[in-house]
Amino acid sequence: MTANKTIGEGMGTKRHWVLTMGALAVGLATSLSAMAANVLQDVRYASAPGGKVDITLQFAEPVGDVQAFTTDTPPRIAVDIPGTTNGLSQRRVVIGSGATSAVSAVEAGGRTRVVVDLFRPAGYTTRSAGNLLVLTVDAGAQPNSLATGSDPTKKVASDIEVANIDFRRGENGSGRVILRFSGDGAAADMRNEGSRVVVDVANASIPESLRRRLDVTDFATPVQSLEPNANAGSTRLVINTNGAFDSMAYQTGNEYVIEVTPKRAAPTAVVAGAPGRAAGAVAGDAEAKRYAGRPVTFNFQDVPVRTVLQLIAEESGLNVVAADTVQGNVTLRLINVPWDQAMDIVLRAKQLDKRRDGNVIWVAPQKEIADFEKAVADARIANEEREPLITEYIPINYGNAEEIASLLTEDSKSASGAGGGGGGAGGQRTRGFLSPRGSVSFDNRTNTLLLIDIASKVAEVRNLLATLDRPVDQVLIEARIVVATEVFARELGVIFGVQDRTGTLANSNGTTTDSGFAVDLPATTPAGALNLSILRQDIALELELSALEEEGRGEVVSNPRVITANQREAVIRQGDEVAYLTIQPVTTPGAVATATVEFKEVLLELKVTPTITQDGRVYLNLAVKKDEVSELIANPAGGFIPQIAKREVSTAVLIDNGQTVVVGGVYEFKSRDDLRKVPFLGDLPVLGNLFKNKSKGMEKAELLIFVTPRILQVAHKG
């Protein structure tokens, strides 16, 4: 029989075969023909007290005689069941508990062989019950855990004690409990009991100062409290939780870390720190890392790291290559954890790192990988130093050669030169896209780059220019400036009077007058009047009603348009320069004042810088201005001074291609009611209207600015 070679284990040790023949109890009524048709249907396992594992094999019929044997290198237990076919859906079942690594089953020659892979040599017992065969695997001997005497159950006394208990919260809402011991070798065991997580450390004591209940409810994790206590000379930590949770634990050095994570209905991103961090950084990195590996369950007590990597390789289906410097043991208890997260935890615990190339993962100490990558980089730089330089002349079609030369070197300075305004950049160790020995110049006359560098860098620059040297899309920006006005006025007035034509109209006091009295409250500029006169021989009664109603509407539309390249400012102006006189004051006696003609711009202006976004929209940084001469004010020295009404908006807006938006607007409203009347008489009902003048006015003005951008795409040739 050939044994497989595991990671880190040689084949030079002597192979020991222990053949155990036994007859298991079977029912007397079971015939040999029935046994020949037996089928292995299922494999289950469960942890038992004392680090043991019960492996249950379920058959279609009761089993007969079986043959079992063990090997020490590698440690295995093999059970042959004759006359049985293999009906399992999976070839290998990973256990990872106690001394048991995994169980696999194969069928050949009319029999089925069940192989139990072990982490270390361990004893076993078998028993049958109907169509079940139960194989119990012992915990096996662990380094430094058993006494040297003949009694294998007598443990060596340990002076390890709990040095500190710490609690932290992860970014993903998990609660992390860190048990820190005074030394290495603490044998911790974790299990879930309902809503509690119980951790027993058989070989570590806990001082009185740490035996106090810790309330961690305020951390907003599934963990509510911690209860550390002494338990018959050992330590027991009870973690009380609230709600559904998942738990996992791992051990590195003198720290044992338990993570309690809220259980979610669907698989979500799992947060993990970068390999090589301290145990306290298991979760909570600013950037979450997604794990997509198949969930695995590992329960290892002080097993070689290389063995764990082998199990991970089998679960992932990838090839894991471990450096010779990967050594040491690890203690893990992970339940339903993606295999790629389990690998990161193992690497972090042992200060290892990994690099993946296809389906091969290379695992080595962090420093070893860093040194290797540095050596590769140094070799590449050394090759570049020895590689010959070539010269390339690259014509630029759409860009500017000087600007591109500055971009390639980041710190080059243009300079004019003889024969066409050439300039250059070179001699700097930091060369941007160029190698340390590379240089680039430009010629403004032909818009050409002059590039000197190694072949690989020249190829990179050509690929870069293929992306950068492209025609720039253009944008048509159309603006509409609408100024709408509305005026309404109404006025009602009256002239009322009585006149004595004979001049003898008596007043109330008996005196006479030559003329009558009048109420003079007409409309300012009446559109019409109604006169009424009542005459007698010596008295005239005159009444004139005047009224005015005025209504006006106006609208001014300005429509400037401009086309510009992407990210280039465009300006369009239209208007007049209005002249006016200014008089210089006389400073000396007898001097003559000097008149000077000055001009004031009255413009319609559109200033815009468009930026085309990656999703086909347009970001506009624009300023729109419309000036008008509202009136001319007389200058005492002569002429008129223009009074200018200004309308202006400056803004930035993101618009869909072809969409029209209102980028600004001003609404003005003026209302006025005036009343003139004769005191007392104007307050009389009905008749008081003959002693009043009423006017009402209303003005509306509205300014709206519409903008519409349209992208004019330019096809790239070549």
Side-chain angles (χ1 to χ4, degrees):
M1 184 175 194
T2 302
N4 295 330
K5 182 180 180 181
T6 60
I7 297 181
E9 293 178 345
M11 298 296 294
T13 58
K14 182 179 179 180
R15 181 177 300 166
H16 300 282
W17 299 87
V18 181
L19 183 61
T20 303
M21 305 294 294
L24 301 178
V26 294
L28 295 178
T30 304
S31 63
L32 292 178
S33 61
M35 291 168 51
N38 208 352
V39 179
L40 175 59
Q41 296 177 329
D42 190 19
V43 175
R44 301 185 299 272
Y45 70 92
S47 300
K52 296 182 180 182
V53 176
D54 291 334
I55 302 173
T56 303
L57 307 178
Q58 180 177 333
F59 298 87
E61 302 290 342
V63 297
D65 293 339
V66 298
Q67 295 177 347
F69 59 90
T70 64
T71 63
D72 290 343
T73 307
R76 285 177 176 171
I77 302 172
V79 180
D80 285 344
I81 304 100
T84 304
T85 59
N86 182 16
L88 298 180
S89 59
Q90 54 182 344
R91 185 186 67 85
R92 183 179 178 86
V93 178
V94 177
I95 296 179
S97 178
T100 308
S101 171
V103 176
S104 58
V106 293
E107 177 187 348
R111 66 175 179 173
T112 296
R113 171 170 290 179
V114 177
V115 179
V116 181
D117 293 330
L118 304 176
F119 294 123
R120 51 188 175 271
Y124 70 94
T125 59
T126 61
R127 67 182 185 276
S128 63
N131 62 341
L132 300 179
L133 176 63
V134 180
L135 177 67
T136 300
V137 182
D138 297 337
Q142 299 185 22
N144 301 325
S145 65
L146 298 181
T148 57
S150 58
D151 186 359
T153 62
K154 183 177 180 181
K155 296 186 178 180
V156 177
S158 174
D159 57 356
I160 299 176
E161 69 175 13
V162 179
N164 189 30
I165 301 176
D166 191 13
F167 181 83
R168 302 176 187 178
R169 185 185 189 278
E171 291 292 335
N172 59 346
S174 64
R176 186 166 61 253
V177 183
I178 303 174
L179 285 176
R180 191 169 290 109
F181 301 96
S182 60
D184 297 344
D189 177 69
M190 185 188 77
R191 63 185 183 276
N192 294 343
E193 296 182 354
S195 62
R196 305 190 310 168
V197 178
V198 179
V199 180
D200 285 324
V201 189
N203 61 342
S205 60
I206 181 170
E208 185 67 30
S209 59
L210 296 179
R211 301 178 195 172
R212 63 181 185 275
R213 185 178 185 276
L214 301 177
D215 189 344
V216 293
T217 307
D218 293 341
F219 286 85
T221 70
V223 180
Q224 301 296 297
S225 63
L226 307 177
E227 297 180 2
N229 291 292
N231 183 30
S234 62
T235 298
R236 169 169 291 183
L237 174 64
V238 177
I239 304 173
N240 298 307
T241 66
N242 182 25
F245 66 91
D246 290 322
S247 63
M248 72 174 184
Y250 70 92
Q251 186 171 347
T252 170
N254 66 336
E255 288 186 345
Y256 186 78
V257 181
I258 308 105
E259 277 211 34
V260 181
T261 308
K263 181 177 291 186
R264 294 172 174 82
T268 57
V270 182
V271 179
R277 293 200 178 178
V282 175
D285 283 356
E287 296 182 0
K289 180 176 180 181
R290 292 189 175 274
Y291 294 106
R294 186 173 62 181
V296 295
T297 297
F298 291 151
N299 188 359
F300 303 140
Q301 282 288 342
D302 199 29
V303 298
V305 174
R306 304 175 72 89
T307 302
V308 178
L309 293 177
Q310 181 189 21
L311 291 175
I312 293 176
E314 294 177 354
E315 290 297 321
S316 64
L318 301 176
N319 299 311
V320 177
V321 179
D324 294 339
T325 50
V326 176
Q327 301 293 336
N329 294 354
V330 66
T331 297
L332 287 175
R333 188 182 191 278
L334 306 176
I335 301 175
N336 291 331
V337 175
W339 68 260
D340 44 355
Q341 184 188 11
M343 172 174 276
D344 280 354
I345 291 174
V346 173
L347 299 182
R348 185 185 312 117
K350 305 305 293 184
Q351 289 77 48
L352 302 174
D353 204 349
K354 70 178 185 294
R355 293 295 182 267
R356 180 170 177 174
D357 184 6
N359 65 341
V360 178
I361 299 177
W362 174 40
V363 177
Q366 293 174 357
K367 187 178 185 304
E368 184 174 329
I369 291 182
D371 292 343
F372 170 78
E373 293 178 342
K374 181 177 182 299
V376 171
D378 292 342
R380 178 182 55 80
I381 294 174
N383 290 334
E384 290 181 355
E385 292 289 343
R386 292 189 292 269
E387 190 173 349
L389 300 177
I390 63 175
T391 302
E392 287 282 338
Y393 305 100
I394 305 176
I396 304 301
N397 296 319
Y398 305 101
N400 182 276
E402 181 178 353
E403 294 178 356
I404 293 178
S406 178
L407 171 66
L408 293 177
T409 57
E410 295 182 350
D411 58 348
S412 64
K413 296 181 180 179
S414 61
S416 60
Q428 300 288 337
R429 295 297 297 176
T430 301
R431 306 304 304 144
F433 291 94
L434 307 180
S435 70
R437 295 188 296 153
S439 63
V440 62
S441 302
F442 57 88
D443 183 73
N444 283 334
R445 294 177 306 167
T446 59
N447 203 33
T448 301
L449 282 182
L450 314 176
L451 181 62
I452 302 175
D453 211 330
I454 61 178
S456 60
K457 287 296 182 179
V458 171
E460 290 179 8
V461 171
R462 281 195 172 276
N463 292 334
L464 177 64
L465 293 180
T467 302
L468 298 181
D469 191 23
R470 292 177 177 270
V472 179
D473 291 339
Q474 302 179 69
V475 182
L476 168 64
I477 299 100
E478 179 181 1
R480 289 189 297 277
I481 306 170
V482 180
V483 180
T485 59
E486 182 177 346
V487 178
F488 175 80
R490 176 182 294 166
E491 186 175 2
L492 181 63
V494 62
I495 299 176
F496 173 66
V498 177
Q499 185 175 8
D500 183 2
R501 291 181 178 272
T502 62
T504 60
L505 182 66
N507 289 329
S508 59
N509 57 6
T511 62
T512 61
T513 61
D514 293 334
S515 61
F517 55 89
V519 176
D520 189 7
L521 296 173
T524 306
T525 54
L530 176 63
N531 295 312
L532 175 64
S533 297
I534 299 177
L535 302 176
R536 279 188 359 189
Q537 182 177 3
D538 53 356
I539 299 175
L541 175 64
E542 296 182 353
L543 175 65
E544 179 182 288
L545 300 177
S546 58
L548 167 67
E549 183 169 321
E550 180 182 4
E551 184 175 346
R553 291 183 177 87
E555 186 174 284
V556 179
V557 179
S558 303
N559 187 202
R561 300 182 184 182
V562 67
I563 297 178
T564 183
N566 184 30
Q567 297 185 344
R568 294 287 185 178
E569 183 183 70
V571 179
I572 184 171
R573 295 187 180 95
Q574 179 186 0
D576 300 319
E577 287 190 344
V578 180
Y580 61 95
L581 292 177
T582 59
I583 307 299
Q584 301 296 330
V586 177
T587 57
T588 59
V592 179
T594 304
T596 303
V597 178
E598 295 189 2
F599 295 89
K600 183 69 174 180
E601 288 186 340
V602 180
L603 298 176
L604 167 64
E605 180 183 80
L606 171 64
K607 184 185 297 184
V608 60
T609 303
T611 300
I612 302 174
T613 63
Q614 293 296 325
D615 57 357
R617 295 190 287 178
V618 182
Y619 179 82
L620 296 179
N621 194 337
L622 57 87
V624 182
K625 179 172 67 173
K626 179 176 174 57
D627 299 339
E628 288 182 352
V629 177
S630 60
E631 62 177 313
L632 296 175
I633 301 175
N635 188 348
F640 296 90
I641 299 175
Q643 181 176 342
I644 299 175
K646 303 178 73 68
R647 300 177 180 91
E648 184 176 353
V649 61
S650 178
T651 185
V653 62
L654 181 65
I655 313 175
D656 290 336
N657 181 28
Q659 181 185 11
T660 300
V661 297
V662 180
V663 297
V666 178
Y667 179 77
E668 295 181 3
F669 177 82
K670 295 180 181 178
S671 179
R672 181 181 181 88
D673 288 325
D674 294 325
L675 174 64
R676 293 184 298 162
K677 64 181 180 179
V678 177
F680 305 112
L681 297 178
D683 296 331
L684 295 175
V686 182
L687 293 178
N689 292 322
L690 298 177
F691 303 94
K692 294 180 181 178
N693 176 282
K694 295 190 293 184
S695 63
K696 181 178 182 180
M698 181 175 62
E699 296 182 10
K700 296 180 182 179
E702 189 171 8
L703 169 66
L704 296 175
I705 300 176
F706 302 86
V707 174
T708 305
R710 291 182 175 87
I711 299 175
L712 308 177
Q713 294 183 342
V714 180
H716 175 59
K717 298 181 180 180

